[in-house]
Amino acid sequence: MARQSMREEILGSGVELFLERGFNAAAVKDITDRAGVPKGSFYNHFESKEALAAVALERYGETRPIPLLRDESRTPAERIRRHFEALGAELSEYTKGCMYGNFAAEVVDHSEPLRLRVKGGLEEWSGVLAEAIAAGQQAGEFRAELDPERTARYLTSAWEGAILRARADKSGEAFEIFFDLTFGALLT
Amino acid sequence: MARQSMREEILGSGVELFLERGFNAAAVKDITDRAGVPKGSFYNHFESKEALAAVALERYGETRPIPLLRDESRTPAERIRRHFEALGAELSEYTKGCMYGNFAAEVVDHSEPLRLRVKGGLEEWSGVLAEAIAAGQQAGEFRAELDPERTARYLTSAWEGAILRARADKSGEAFEIFFDLTFGALLT
């Protein structure tokens, strides 16, 4: 396997295992096994599991369905709905979490570099969501008195909590409730 | 140390470490070290870390500030606010999570007995919260059209997500936003 492709395989397996098991339960050996590479090769590409996690967070951030929030061919309410539907589609088996949420539960108290990346990822997400909420207010779709930035942060929290509930329930009901209450009560 | 008191020490340390580190990063040796007992004594009291976690979840459930939700000397809105304030007071350093949330992120996919306990704990919590929401609707404090059970589940998700955000931010702002939007937009 070429050097660059081995690094990509390790990174891809790291992302998967951090989503499925979180940080602590994803051992370097699990990651290299899933990537189909020798364990020793890990350290040719990453200094530590923490270093891999930093790159994995960046990769995860790049694959968030943020463009859906900026899709001006749709109304702001449709943009926000499609964004969360895309996030929910990633979680259809209820056996994976959000990397930000998993790391917030496990890692942020023990690694300041990873904490700052999780914080930054969440801020970027809620920032773009806030723009869509403000656009919905301008379009008359949402309540005018809501603060877009705080409402966006509330919604991202409600979503992260819904993931936890869906995993505990092994059911998508928490996501259905998220959509019902967000569009039927909070925003309108 | 008497046998019963040793079991209590191990259980208390287990609760603390599951809140601080989650399940996977809390090793049996960490738990017995914090309890000040020999590692070998653990297995006189608990068959496994999973068995301890089941009892820890039960103990955690018993210490939730559920009675505040039923305090009929207060209005339903005050009951709900005081309940979440009490939960927030447990988390003032932003270095601990909710045991339900931590386990939902890490454990529920790998242990069906623990998953069912987490699910049960969350259901009990949102069930009592739903009663307080219904009482608030009857008192004219909250929007009449909300479904109390689904609204309670939405709120518990928003709270669990706010904990994750507070830990990532090392700030209580996510809790402030939870209170503002819950009482200023969702319920009213």
Side-chain angles (χ1 to χ4, degrees), chain B residues 80-126:
Chain B
I80 295 170
R81 184 180 289 278
R82 283 162 49 89
H83 168 75
F84 282 107
E85 283 172 352
L87 290 175
E90 292 178 359
L91 303 167
S92 56
E93 304 291 321
Y94 319 120
T95 57
K96 288 194 292 188
C98 165
M99 205 183 296
Y100 302 141
N102 285 355
F103 282 23
E106 277 192 285
V107 176
V108 295
D109 297 330
H110 312 294
S111 165
E112 189 66 5
L114 293 181
R115 182 182 80 79
L116 293 172
R117 279 177 188 268
V118 170
K119 180 173 186 280
L122 289 169
E123 277 170 3
E124 190 184 338
W125 177 26
S126 55

Side-chain angles (χ1 to χ4, degrees), chain A residues 94-95 104-106 109 115 119 143 150 153-155 157 161-162 164 167-169 173 177 180-182 185, chain B residues 94-95 104-106 109 115 119 143 150 153-155 157 161 164-165 167-169 173 177 180-182 185:
Chain A
Y94 319 121
T95 56
E106 277 193 285
D109 297 331
R115 182 181 80 78
K119 181 174 185 280
R143 295 203 228 186
R150 292 169 80 81
R153 289 186 57 171
Y154 191 89
L155 281 188
S157 289
L164 298 178
R167 294 181 81 177
D169 291 352
E173 201 181 354
I177 291 171
D180 280 4
L181 274 283
T182 295
Chain B
Y94 319 120
T95 57
E106 277 192 285
D109 297 330
R115 182 182 80 79
K119 180 173 186 280
R143 295 202 228 187
R150 291 170 80 81
R153 291 186 56 170
Y154 191 89
L155 282 188
S157 287
L164 298 178
R165 184 76 183 242
R167 295 181 81 176
D169 291 352
E173 201 182 352
I177 290 171
D180 280 3
L181 274 283
T182 295

